[in-house]
Amino acid sequence: MSCPTCGKAFAAAASRALPFCSDRCRLIDLKRWLGEEHGLPLAGGGEDEWA
Ligand SMILES: [Zn+2]
């Protein structure tokens, strides 16, 4: 499967943070959700900066 945050393919059995590839990607997604919920401005098109 592929990680929703970084798009990297990974083995689901090897991840402790499904559906993400790692805790790092899980936290990134969580922060993104919280940011949207609180209406904080996010840098546009900055997806790649997390890679
Ligand atoms: Zn990832």
Side-chain angles (χ1 to χ4, degrees), residues 25-36:
C25 281
R26 185 172 57 82
L27 289 174
I28 288 170
D29 188 75
L30 179 62
K31 287 179 181 177
R32 189 155 51 194
W33 266 97
L34 291 175
E36 290 175 359

Side-chain angles (χ1 to χ4, degrees), residues 5-50:
T5 296
C6 69
K8 186 176 71 175
F10 68 99
S15 175
R16 295 175 299 128
L18 294 174
F20 307 99
C21 69
S22 64
D23 284 338
R24 180 171 169 273
C25 281
R26 185 172 57 82
L27 289 174
I28 288 170
D29 188 75
L30 179 62
K31 287 179 181 177
R32 189 155 51 194
W33 266 97
L34 291 175
E36 290 175 359
E37 187 172 318
H38 292 289
L40 297 176
L42 297 174
E47 294 286 333
D48 288 341
E49 73 188 55
W50 297 108

